Amino acid sequence: MKKKCVYWLPKLGVLAALSMIFMAASAVLRIVWAAGEALSSAVFWLQVVLPLAANVSFIVILLRDSRDRLYRSAIPVWLGCVFFAVKALGFPSRLHTVLCLCLYALVAALYTATVTGRVPTQKLLWPLFGLPMLYHIFVEDTQKVGWPLHDWLPELSVLCCMAALLCLSLAMKKRPVEEGAYVKRFGDRNDGRRLRSLSPIFAVSPYIMKTRNTSQNFIEDHIEVTEMERYIVEKRKAGLKNFGVLHVLLAAYVRTCARYPGLNRFIAGQHIFTRDREIEINMTIKKEMSTDSPDTVIKVTFDPADTADIVYGRFNDKVREVKDAPLDTGFDKLAGAFNLIPGLLLKFFVFLLQGMDYFGLLPRFLTKLSPFHGSLYITSMASLGIPPIYHHLYDFGNVPVFVSFGKKRRVFETKRDGSVVLRKYIDCNFVTDERIVDGFYFASCLRYLHNLLSDPWQLDTPPEEIIRDET
């Protein structure tokens, strides 16, 4: 992969703030102008709604995506260029129209090429936005002196747009990307990278099997825990208090993702994405072990290179943070806020969130809190003293795997020599989204997971290699 540039806003400084202020001013001026005009339906949509959509989306993208996905700001720029192009079609001079159309095409193309990293400098944008603005002020607008203030509003709105883009081109910074590193581009989400080189069957299957509930497979597995118990005893003697089966399973799953990164994929908007090195694991816990104790959800992020000790530390830190907190967690506050919305309105609000999630528009802070977004949802039936359940996948969100494990059970088995031996097992039930990988891949993951659990000391050292998912 060739070295590319990534443009970003390290912080929302003065120039970035001015850019948003100018764009907001452009929207206000456009609304005030439209309020005093009798507009046809076509003019209203093309000369009011379209530029307002560009203004608002520009501000939202700067606030939400300026650090890691500034390239998305090309969307409102294209909308703005379409607006200007439609306006130019009404110019009396054909030469003027052609020149303006060429300018708008150049603005859209050069801006997109710059923010997507194909142009190594943003300095070309400075004259591209600055010179037309100066021409507008000192040439075109001098011919409009004496116009009523109301007629000046569209002109001022256009100038504010140009000033906003000029401020942004001055504010954006460039950071190099080393060879081999992935550069985010259109189609990626803030919680995942789209996989574009998969075989056609994987690309088509999300359109045929549209939901997770209609695409789930169920796997029942039994894990012999003799070596795991020895490993747990050693860890507890080493000072890892309450180290248990859950920590070993989590560490083994994280290590499996290092070897089989397809396990860390998910489906969203009928496309397949990967989280790469972010393995987000969700679990429902109780603050106290009583029937009236409220449930809450914890989400812990792991890296494929994490060892069992690191997994134990991160998971226990999150559990203590929740159980020792006198106030509600972020998830509890979010659920409480939803609970305040009346039923019918809540139904519409959830529909809106689903639409935003489909197009990858949910803010990252929401997907970090959401129990429906992540790599894995795990639940322990052992703490309840019952066998594992088959838990369905959620259609909302993107969790592709749900695992439930139960209490230990003892089984008398006959060996080849006819003798009887007592063995201990833990039953694990997996529910998987069959669209992320094929059956052979899932089977390979399960075999590798068994290999790790039969010799859990492998989890004490980082993996020799972390395999990267497809492009």
Side-chain angles (χ1 to χ4, degrees), residues 132-149:
M133 187 170 67
L134 292 175
Y135 173 81
H136 206 285
I137 294 172
F138 294 106
V139 178
E140 284 196 2
D141 289 348
T142 56
Q143 303 171 14
K144 302 170 185 176
V145 175
W147 280 18
L149 177 60

Side-chain angles (χ1 to χ4, degrees), residues 92-110:
S93 169
R94 288 188 177 179
L95 178 62
H96 191 192
T97 298
V98 171
L99 290 175
C100 286
L101 291 177
C102 291
L103 174 62
Y104 304 147
L106 177 62
V107 168
L110 183 57

